[in-house]
Amino acid sequence: MNHNRIVCLDLEMCCWNQDGVGTTGEIIEVGLAEVDVLKGEIVKRAQYYVKPETDEVSLFCSELTGITPRKIEKQGRPLEAVIQSMIKNFGGANKIYASWGRDDLILQKECEQKGIAMPFKEFINLATLYRVQNRVKDKRVGHREAQEKAGIDWEGRQHSGYVDAYNLAKLALTML
């Protein structure tokens, strides 16, 4: 296990907003940013688009994430191929992955549904770690809010897996 490297993960899923209620479906983007904890720097980034098997990218989802059906059609690959690329380029079970919230459970559920092995075993929920470190008991703190409270500028469009993973990596470097 390489404890000096943490791979920050952010997922975007098909999403809908019906009568003010948000729902999500299959994964359509995986954003990754790897940090070297000893050097204190981001050493690698990647973005993978995933072609959903049953869901479609809604207009609401495109407006929220910037991911269009055309982008998925042109650049999307099956989740299994994306997982293979993640393992090849970032390492699988020998790396610790982290996200803001439980993206690991979302990925695990979809992997199980599609008969794909989970690409990692070790996981850190940075939202929980943030709440513990900052003694926040009674409320949920969003990733962007936590980053801004830490004095770290947000870069790029929120709800892009690639951008969110990069920003999370910047925050993770102050937490780990």
Side-chain angles (χ1 to χ4, degrees), residues 62-81:
S62 290
E63 289 171 352
L64 180 68
T65 65
I67 301 169
T68 63
R70 182 173 169 82
K71 187 174 282 186
I72 292 298
E73 186 60 38
K74 291 185 122 207
Q75 299 177 37
R77 298 184 295 146
L79 181 60
E80 186 169 23

Side-chain angles (χ1 to χ4, degrees), residues 8-12 29-34 42 44-49 65 67 90 143 154-169:
C8 294
L9 163 79
D10 188 80
L11 303 176
E12 299 301 327
E29 182 191 8
V30 178
L32 301 164
E34 185 171 339
I42 299 167
K44 190 184 305 185
R45 295 175 69 186
Q47 176 180 45
Y48 302 106
Y49 290 109
T65 65
I67 301 169
F90 288 86
H143 168 199
W154 186 272
E155 295 180 50
R157 178 192 180 121
Q158 193 171 7
H159 301 298
S160 157
Y162 184 71
V163 169
D164 290 355
Y166 172 71
N167 281 298
L168 184 60

Side-chain angles (χ1 to χ4, degrees), residues 38-157:
L38 296 178
K39 291 181 180 177
E41 63 186 28
I42 299 167
V43 294
K44 190 184 305 185
R45 295 175 69 186
Q47 176 180 45
Y48 302 106
Y49 290 109
V50 181
K51 194 173 282 193
E53 293 178 7
T54 59
D55 288 337
E56 293 180 11
V57 178
S58 69
L59 178 60
F60 170 79
C61 189
S62 290
E63 289 171 352
L64 180 68
T65 65
I67 301 169
T68 63
R70 182 173 169 82
K71 187 174 282 186
I72 292 298
E73 186 60 38
K74 291 185 122 207
Q75 299 177 37
R77 298 184 295 146
L79 181 60
E80 186 169 23
V82 168
I83 297 286
Q84 289 170 354
S85 293
M86 285 172 60
I87 292 169
K88 178 183 175 194
N89 296 316
F90 288 86
N94 65 327
K95 292 279 181 69
I96 300 169
Y97 280 67
S99 70
W100 192 267
R102 295 308 307 262
D103 283 16
D104 63 316
L105 296 179
I106 294 166
L107 182 61
Q108 181 179 9
K109 180 180 177 187
E110 193 163 328
C111 282
E112 286 173 2
Q113 290 171 341
K114 295 179 177 179
I116 303 167
M118 194 62 177
F120 55 86
K121 292 181 174 41
E122 295 288 331
F123 176 79
I124 301 168
N125 179 348
L126 292 173
T128 300
L129 181 59
Y130 177 88
R131 287 193 351 260
V132 169
Q133 288 176 342
N134 292 279
R135 309 291 189 258
V136 178
K137 298 177 188 174
D138 300 328
K139 73 172 203 156
R140 182 181 176 274
V141 178
H143 168 199
R144 187 169 185 155
E145 178 185 355
Q147 185 162 320
E148 288 170 350
K149 283 184 176 182
I152 303 167
D153 289 335
W154 186 272
E155 295 180 50
R157 178 192 180 121

